[in-house]
Amino acid sequence: MIRKKIWLYDTTLRDGSQREGISLSLNDKLQIVRKLDEMGIPFIEGGWPGANPKDVQFFWRLKEEPLKQAQVVAFCSTRRPHKKAAEDPMLKAILAANTHWVTIFGKSWDLHVTEGLKTSLDENIAMIQDSISYLISQQRQVIYDAEHWFDGYKANPDYALATLQGAIASGAKWLVFCDTNGGTLPHEIGQIVGEVVDKLNLDLDDPDAVQLGIHTHNDSGTAVANAIASVLEGATMVQGTINGYGERCGNANLCTLIPNLQLKLNYHCLEPEQLTQLTPNSRLISEIVNLAPDDHAPFVGRSAFAHKGGIHVSAVARNPLTYEHIVPEAIGNERRIVISDQSGLSNVLSKAQNFGIDLDKNNPKCREILQRLKTLEHEGYQFEAAEASFELLMLEALGKRKQLFEIKGFQVHSDITITEQIPYTHALATIKLVMGNEELLEVAEGNGPVSALDAALRKALVKFYPQIAGFYLTDYKVRILNSTAGTNAKTRVLVESTNGAQRWTTVGVSTNIIDASYQAVVEGLEYGINHLLQNSAIVMES
C-alpha cells in the first residue's frame, strides 16, 4: 500500500516565537532551522522579511549557507488596500529575501475586512489576487493562508469561498485553512473542509492541482485533533510548531501531530531514521528558547513512557505493549522505570539494568535497596525526580560507591544590603574537605548561599578533576514538606546539573534548607565525577 505523503510546514521561527516569554536571537533561529532541516521538515517558515532587521539577516545568512533539503519560506500579508502589489514595500522585502516559496495570508472573514482593513469585500479579493499574481510573475511559488477561515466560513460561506476562488485563479499552489482564533472543534473542521472540497470541485488526487493545508491554534485544546480531522478530509499540508509554541495557547504541536499521522494513521511524514530525531530536537529547541521541557508531553516527554507502579513495571518487562501505545525508540524517546515508595522489586531490578548494574532478584541486597528507598521516601526524599541520587544509593548498598572526597565541614555567611530599596544578597562559603591524604580549605563567593557553597566545592575539586569546570547547575527546586511546622518544616531540594550534553538530578532533605541544598549539590558533583571516571554516558534525564 502506498502511504500518502503529508507535507510538514514548521512555523516555530515565526508563529512559535510569538509565544509570551520566547525571544529568539539570529543565532537561535539559525540553530533551530538547521535542526529542522536535518530532521527532514520540507517547509520551514523563517519569518517576515522587512518586519525587523533580524529576519532580514536570517534570510541573507541562509542564502550564504543554504539548507540541505528544506524550503525556507518567507511570510507576509497581502498588499495594502488600494495600492498596487508591485509598488508595495512589504512585498518588495519579500522578494529581496529570495526564497522560492512565499506564504501570503489574506482575510477570509468579512468582519475582518470591514472592521480590520476598513475596506470593501471586493477590494479584499482584489488584494488577494493582485498579491499572488505579482509574486508568481516574479517566479515565486505561493502558499495562501486563509486567515480566520473557519470563522469566516461560518459567518458568510459564499464570501469565504470567493476569497479562495480568487487565490486559485491567481495561481496559488496551496490553500491553507487557518483556525486563527483556535475556537473551532474537530467535527466542524472535518465538515467544513469536506464541504469546501465539494463546492470548489477540487481534485486532491491530482498533484498538479491546488492542494489543501491546515493551520490550527490550540485555544480550545484541540489543535492537533483539528489538524488530523482536516487531513482525513484531504489536506496534505499540516502547519505547526515544535512543542506547540505559539501565541496565546499555542499552535498545533508537531511533536504530537507527526507521530499520530505517521505511526497511527499510516501517512508518510518523515523517514523512520528522521522520526527518531523528534524527541532530541524537541528537547534541544526547548533549551534554545529557554523554556523547560514539558515532561508530560505526549510522545516526547520524559514521562511519556515512564512506569511507576510495580504491576505496570512487571507487565512492561514481559511485554511493553501492555502499557505502551508505541515503541518509544521510534520517536527517539526511551522507557523509564520510575523509583518511588510505590515501587516493587521489578522497579529496582529494571532501574539497576538501566544503570548498567548487574543485580539478581535473589540477591538480598534487592530487598535492602527497596526498604531503604521506602524509608527515605517516608522521610521526604523523592527519587522519581532524582535518579542520579538513587543510582548512588544503589551503589552504596552494593558496596560499589567510591569515596571520592570527604567533607569535614562548611560555613556559609550571607549579607543582605538594601540599595535604593532593592535588596542585594551576597554570600561567602568556606568548605573543608579531605581528598586522599590532602586536607583542603577553600573559600568562594556567590549571589546566594547555595551559589557560594557550590563555587567553593568546585574550587576545591577542580584541581583533581579539571573536567568539572564544565559542570554547572541548571535548576534548583525547593519544596516545603510539612508546611504546618512553620520555620521548623522539613525541606526537600532538587538540584539539576549538567556537563553541557547530559543532565542529572540529585536530592537532599533537611529541616535546614542550606543542609538540604548541600546534600544535593555534593551528590550532583559526586555523580558527575563518578561517571567521568567510568568514562560512560551519564544516565539521561533530559
Side-chain angles (χ1 to χ4, degrees), residues 281-294:
N281 282 343
S282 164
R283 296 173 185 178
L284 173 64
I285 290 171
S286 73
E287 295 293 343
I288 294 173
V289 304
N290 199 28
L291 291 174
D294 180 0

Side-chain angles (χ1 to χ4, degrees), residues 298-428:
F299 294 101
V300 298
R302 284 186 66 242
S303 299
F305 301 95
H307 306 283
K308 181 174 178 177
I311 295 175
H312 289 209
V313 173
S314 297
V316 167
R318 291 191 295 270
N319 187 342
L321 289 175
T322 53
Y323 287 99
E324 291 177 353
H325 64 121
I326 67 164
V327 177
E329 289 78 11
I331 41 86
N333 209 337
E334 63 182 354
R335 180 177 305 114
R336 292 177 54 246
I337 304 303
V338 177
I339 291 295
S340 75
D341 59 359
Q342 297 182 34
S343 300
L345 282 178
S346 54
N347 296 63
V348 173
L349 290 168
S350 181
K351 186 57 68 177
Q353 184 179 22
N354 193 35
F355 292 153
I357 297 173
D358 186 18
L359 186 61
D360 185 85
K361 66 179 180 180
N362 297 318
N363 189 331
K365 291 293 183 181
C366 278
R367 294 198 176 276
E368 182 181 323
I369 292 169
L370 184 60
Q371 186 55 49
R372 178 67 174 153
L373 165 69
K374 292 179 182 291
T375 299
L376 288 173
E377 292 226 339
H378 180 71
E379 293 175 7
Y381 286 81
Q382 184 187 68
F383 293 99
E384 64 182 77
E387 294 184 344
S389 284
F390 183 71
E391 182 176 345
L392 292 175
L393 180 155
M394 187 175 285
L395 290 171
E396 183 173 2
L398 296 172
K400 296 181 179 181
R401 184 171 177 176
K402 296 179 180 178
Q403 186 70 40
L404 300 173
F405 51 86
E406 181 183 0
I407 306 292
K408 289 295 187 180
F410 67 89
Q411 292 182 336
V412 179
H413 180 79
S414 186
D415 289 322
I416 299 179
T417 304
I418 306 296
T419 305
E420 297 180 354
Q421 304 304 313
I422 300 175
Y424 171 73
T425 303
H426 175 265
L428 181 73

Side-chain angles (χ1 to χ4, degrees), residues 126-428:
M127 291 160 59
I128 295 169
Q129 292 181 307
D130 188 22
S131 301
I132 295 173
S133 297
Y134 173 64
L135 289 169
I136 290 176
S137 74
Q138 301 301 306
Q139 289 75 53
R140 300 299 190 269
Q141 299 276 19
V142 176
I143 299 167
Y144 176 66
D145 274 10
E147 189 187 37
H148 292 283
W149 166 257
F150 295 97
D151 294 311
Y153 183 84
K154 286 186 281 187
N156 188 340
D158 290 339
Y159 181 71
L161 286 169
T163 64
L164 291 187
Q165 289 167 330
I168 294 171
S170 303
K173 294 295 184 183
W174 293 87
L175 304 178
V176 178
F177 299 147
C178 301
D179 187 29
T180 311
N181 284 352
T184 315
L185 296 179
H187 72 283
E188 298 175 286
I189 294 277
Q191 177 187 337
I192 292 173
V193 173
E195 287 180 8
V196 172
V197 172
D198 290 339
K199 289 180 179 180
L200 295 182
N201 196 27
L202 299 177
D203 185 359
L204 300 181
D205 293 324
D206 181 0
D208 296 324
V210 66
Q211 297 293 303
L212 299 184
I214 183 68
H215 178 113
T216 55
H217 285 254
N218 203 39
D219 299 72
S220 299
T222 58
V224 169
N226 286 349
I228 291 173
S230 185
V231 168
L232 293 176
E233 291 296 329
T236 51
M237 172 184 281
V238 291
Q239 297 190 359
T241 61
I242 297 297
N243 298 325
Y245 299 142
E247 197 169 18
R248 304 185 312 276
C249 304
N251 288 44
N253 188 343
L254 290 178
C255 297
T256 305
L257 189 51
I258 293 170
N260 271 317
L261 289 172
Q262 182 148 331
L263 301 178
K264 302 296 182 71
L265 294 171
N266 204 37
Y267 290 97
H268 177 69
C269 300
L270 300 171
E271 296 301 324
E273 64 273 13
Q274 294 171 330
L275 189 60
T276 63
Q277 299 178 35
L278 192 63
T279 298
N281 282 343
S282 164
R283 296 173 185 178
L284 173 64
I285 290 171
S286 73
E287 295 293 343
I288 294 173
V289 304
N290 199 28
L291 291 174
D294 180 0
D295 285 347
H296 300 280
F299 294 101
V300 298
R302 284 186 66 242
S303 299
F305 301 95
H307 306 283
K308 181 174 178 177
I311 295 175
H312 289 209
V313 173
S314 297
V316 167
R318 291 191 295 270
N319 187 342
L321 289 175
T322 53
Y323 287 99
E324 291 177 353
H325 64 121
I326 67 164
V327 177
E329 289 78 11
I331 41 86
N333 209 337
E334 63 182 354
R335 180 177 305 114
R336 292 177 54 246
I337 304 303
V338 177
I339 291 295
S340 75
D341 59 359
Q342 297 182 34
S343 300
L345 282 178
S346 54
N347 296 63
V348 173
L349 290 168
S350 181
K351 186 57 68 177
Q353 184 179 22
N354 193 35
F355 292 153
I357 297 173
D358 186 18
L359 186 61
D360 185 85
K361 66 179 180 180
N362 297 318
N363 189 331
K365 291 293 183 181
C366 278
R367 294 198 176 276
E368 182 181 323
I369 292 169
L370 184 60
Q371 186 55 49
R372 178 67 174 153
L373 165 69
K374 292 179 182 291
T375 299
L376 288 173
E377 292 226 339
H378 180 71
E379 293 175 7
Y381 286 81
Q382 184 187 68
F383 293 99
E384 64 182 77
E387 294 184 344
S389 284
F390 183 71
E391 182 176 345
L392 292 175
L393 180 155
M394 187 175 285
L395 290 171
E396 183 173 2
L398 296 172
K400 296 181 179 181
R401 184 171 177 176
K402 296 179 180 178
Q403 186 70 40
L404 300 173
F405 51 86
E406 181 183 0
I407 306 292
K408 289 295 187 180
F410 67 89
Q411 292 182 336
V412 179
H413 180 79
S414 186
D415 289 322
I416 299 179
T417 304
I418 306 296
T419 305
E420 297 180 354
Q421 304 304 313
I422 300 175
Y424 171 73
T425 303
H426 175 265
L428 181 73

Side-chain angles (χ1 to χ4, degrees), residues 9-27:
Y9 182 111
D10 182 277
T11 180
T12 305
L13 300 179
R14 186 197 61 83
D15 232 352
S17 68
Q18 294 185 56
R19 169 173 166 151
E20 185 177 2
I22 288 182
S23 179
L24 297 176
S25 68
L26 175 60
N27 285 335

